[in-house]
Amino acid sequence: MQHHSIKGFRASFLDAIADPFYVSEADCIRYFPDGLLIVENGKVKDLGNYQDLQAKYVDLPITEYRDRLIVSGFIDTHIHFPQTEMIASYGEQLLEWLSTYTFPTERKFADRNYALEIASIFLNELLRNGTTTALVFTAVFPQSTDAFFEEAQRRNLRMIAGKVMMDRNAPEFLRDTALSSYLETKQLIEKWHKCDRLLYAVTPRFALTSTPEQLTNISKLLQEYPDVYLHTHLSENVKEVEAVVAEFPESDGYLDVYDRAGLVTERSVFAHGVQLTDREFTRLSEAKSAIAFCPTSNLFLGSGLFKLEKAKSSETPVKVGLGTDVGAGTSFSILKTASAAYQVAQLRSQKLSAFQALFLATLGGARALCLEDKLGNFEIGKEADFVVLNLHSTPIMALRNQSSEAIAPTLAEISDQLFATIIMGDDRAISATYIMGELAHEA
C-alpha cells in the first residue's frame, strides 16, 4: 500500500443509508459524534467511531474538524449553468420569463471563451455551497457544453450535463434542427460520456421546443447509448401544460408526449413535476424515472407546490432529488433549497424532517441519478465527495445550536441541530468541500 494515498478525517459524521420516507429514521441514518473517515485513492476505505478505529490507523495523517459535522456531498439534480448571471430576474412566470430573460442570456454562450468564464464561476459557486455533483443544462451551442465539461474535468468533478436541444418555439438564434441536434449530441456523447468522472445527459429543453422529429432522434440516441441520461422539464406551470396539450393533441397529457417518443425510462430525470396528475405519478413510478424537486424556483416563478407526499407514497414511489434550478431558482445552496422544500411541504399540510431533507440532498439525489453505487453516503468503496458543515456559522445559528457539547451527542439532538441548519444555513455553513478526498473549497 502506498502510504501517501491514504488519509483520515476526524469529525462528527452523519449519512443516510436507506430512505427515511419508507423506513424508520433510526434505521436510515448513521451518526458518529466522534468519527473517523479513512479515504484511500479518493474512495471511502473505512468509517466508524474514532475510539474503535484509531488503533488500526495509528501512523496515518488525520485532518481534524472538531466541532464540525461532515456529511456526504450535496447533489443538485437540476440546474442551468448559462443562467448563472440572470439569477433573481424580476416579475414573470415561466413562459414570459424564458422570452424576457433566459433566451437573450443564453445567446452569449455561442462564445466559447465566455462559456468557459461562466462555467468556472458556476462550478466554484457549487463547491462553495457544498454541491459536489449536479445534473446540468448547458446551452444550445455545443461549445458551451465543451466549456462546461472542460472546467468540470479540471476540478475532477462527478458532473452530468448536456447540450440543450430545441428546434422550434424559440428565437432563431437559439434553435438547432432535428438533424444537427442529433449529430452534435452524438459527438458530445462520444467525447465526454464516462470521460474521467463526467457523464452525459441528452437534454431537450421541454416538449414545446422540440418537433416530433427531434423527439424521435432523441429516442434514437437513448437506444444507441443506453447508459446516458434523459434530462428535461415536465409539468412545471399551468399555462405550459395547456400549451403542450394543445401542441400535441394526439397525446394523453404532458408526460405522454415524452412517453410516446420513448423518453420515459429509468435514466430519465424530469425537472419540477408540479402539475402532474395521479396517472402521471403512476407512470413515472412504473418507469422508475426521477423527479427533480425545485422548490425555490417553483415559488419564485409562482409555478405551484410540488406534491412530495404523492411522489414518496408507497402506492406510487418515484425517485426524487433536490434541484436548485438556478436561474429561476434563487440560490445555489442545497441547504436553502431544502428549507424551501420544508415550507412547500408545510403549505400542503405535510412534514419534511431534517433526515428526510438530508436524504433528498445526498442518497436520494444519487438514486435519482442512478449513481447510488458511487455517491450519496460513506459506504465503503464510494467516491469520497463530502462537505464539512459548521452548525455555528452565524451568531444566531451559534445561539440556536448551542448544547452541552458543541456537536450533539445523540441522534435526536443532531436532528434538531441539522434542522435549524437547513432552515437558517447557506454558503456560510460550508466550512470545506472535498472532492475524492481532496480539499476543493475552504471558507
Side-chain angles (χ1 to χ4, degrees):
M1 178 179 66
Q2 289 185 304
H3 207 66
H4 66 83
S5 67
I6 177 166
K7 56 181 94 164
F9 298 88
R10 184 181 183 182
S12 296
F13 289 87
L14 181 70
D15 71 345
I17 52 173
D19 187 338
F21 289 91
Y22 302 107
V23 181
S24 80
E25 298 205 325
D27 295 326
C28 290
I29 300 294
R30 282 192 297 192
Y31 179 48
F32 301 100
D34 180 14
L36 182 64
L37 171 70
I38 306 296
V39 175
E40 185 172 24
N41 298 327
K43 297 194 172 165
V44 176
K45 180 182 168 64
D46 215 342
L47 173 71
N49 289 310
Y50 178 77
Q51 295 305 333
D52 300 342
L53 288 182
Q54 65 175 120
K56 253 169 92 175
Y57 300 102
V58 150
D59 299 329
L60 212 59
I62 305 279
T63 304
E64 299 219 354
Y65 284 106
R66 293 295 179 95
D67 305 340
R68 294 287 185 269
L69 177 67
I70 293 185
V71 298
S72 202
F74 297 140
I75 296 175
D76 188 338
T77 57
H78 179 66
I79 186 168
H80 297 255
F81 116 77
Q83 294 177 20
T84 302
E85 68 198 86
M86 49 155 287
I87 190 171
S89 293
Y90 172 73
E92 300 290 354
Q93 294 213 336
L94 175 67
L95 299 178
E96 300 75 20
W97 181 86
L98 285 170
S99 316
T100 311
Y101 301 115
T102 308
F103 292 154
T105 303
E106 290 194 3
R107 182 178 200 166
K108 301 180 190 177
F109 288 78
D111 177 347
R112 187 178 171 311
N113 290 331
Y114 188 74
L116 280 168
E117 184 190 330
I118 299 294
S120 186
I121 292 166
F122 171 87
L123 291 167
N124 291 346
E125 199 60 29
L126 287 180
L127 291 170
R128 237 167 49 74
N129 282 281
T131 298
T132 53
T133 289
L135 177 57
V136 182
F137 264 62
T138 67
V140 75
F141 313 105
Q143 57 269 35
S144 71
T145 313
D146 282 329
F148 175 81
F149 277 133
E150 281 167 32
E151 286 296 313
Q153 184 180 39
R154 214 159 58 73
R155 292 167 175 77
N156 195 28
L157 300 176
R158 170 71 66 194
M159 287 283 157
I160 312 170
K163 171 198 124 60
V164 170
M165 305 164 82
M166 48 180 181
D167 62 348
R168 66 164 165 180
N169 292 330
E172 184 62 45
F173 59 77
L174 278 187
R175 290 208 293 262
D176 52 21
T177 69
L179 181 61
S180 73
S181 64
Y182 169 78
L183 294 172
E184 287 168 352
T185 297
K186 201 173 168 62
Q187 211 171 359
L188 288 164
I189 292 170
E190 296 281 353
K191 182 172 179 183
W192 292 112
H193 186 57
K194 294 186 161 173
C195 174
D196 295 334
R197 302 181 74 206
L198 306 171
L199 298 163
Y200 198 89
V202 180
T203 310
R205 185 180 286 277
F206 63 143
L208 276 184
T209 48
S210 287
T211 58
E213 294 75 40
Q214 187 165 62
L215 293 173
T216 301
N217 281 348
I218 290 166
S219 173
K220 199 171 152 192
L221 286 164
L222 298 185
Q223 284 158 18
E224 289 171 326
Y225 303 98
D227 60 357
V228 299
Y229 296 85
L230 183 282
H231 180 204
T232 190
H233 297 93
L234 172 67
S235 300
E236 181 174 356
N237 159 294
V238 173
K239 282 187 186 163
E240 171 215 15
V241 174
E242 288 167 359
V244 169
V245 170
E247 192 77 67
F248 294 90
E250 73 292 346
S251 75
D252 189 7
Y254 196 155
L255 181 65
D256 193 50
V257 175
Y258 296 134
D259 214 357
R260 282 167 184 256
L263 310 187
V264 181
T265 76
E266 192 168 349
R267 299 182 74 81
S268 302
V269 181
F270 296 105
H272 307 297
V274 174
Q275 314 296 337
L276 290 170
T277 63
D278 287 357
R279 197 180 63 243
E280 288 173 323
F281 273 113
T282 302
R283 177 66 192 119
L284 289 169
S285 179
E286 283 169 8
K288 298 189 168 70
S289 300
I291 298 172
F293 173 24
C294 307
T296 74
S297 164
N298 298 156
L299 295 169
F300 182 72
L301 290 182
S303 302
L305 307 175
F306 176 63
K307 299 173 187 162
L308 181 62
E309 75 285 357
K310 179 73 181 155
K312 299 301 293 183
S313 68
S314 38
E315 298 75 49
T316 54
V318 180
K319 297 181 295 190
V320 177
L322 293 175
T324 59
D325 193 29
V326 166
T330 52
S331 172
F332 279 81
S333 169
I334 289 285
L335 292 173
K336 289 188 82 113
T337 304
S339 173
Y342 173 80
Q343 292 165 46
V344 167
Q346 284 283 62
L347 285 167
R348 295 192 46 77
S349 305
Q350 303 291 322
K351 292 278 187 280
L352 178 68
S353 74
F355 292 150
Q356 287 172 334
L358 177 73
F359 171 80
L360 292 176
T362 56
L363 183 59
R367 287 181 176 178
L369 301 177
C370 302
L371 287 173
E372 67 270 32
D373 60 326
K374 294 184 171 64
L375 305 172
N377 58 26
F378 295 109
E379 279 173 19
I380 290 169
K382 289 196 181 182
E383 296 165 354
D385 291 353
F386 58 86
V387 187
V388 183
L389 290 178
N390 177 2
L391 307 188
H392 308 99
S393 59
T394 63
I396 196 70
M397 281 172 64
L399 176 71
R400 169 62 177 80
N401 279 338
Q402 62 184 332
S403 67
S404 51
E405 329 243 339
I407 289 283
T410 69
L411 199 58
E413 286 171 291
I414 198 66
S415 170
D416 179 60
Q417 291 190 353
L418 178 66
F419 181 73
T421 303
I422 287 167
I423 298 302
M424 295 194 288
D426 52 30
D427 54 312
R428 291 169 294 180
I430 311 298
S431 288
T433 304
Y434 280 81
I435 297 298
M436 299 285 282
E438 300 293 329
L439 184 65
H441 163 75
E442 193 166 30

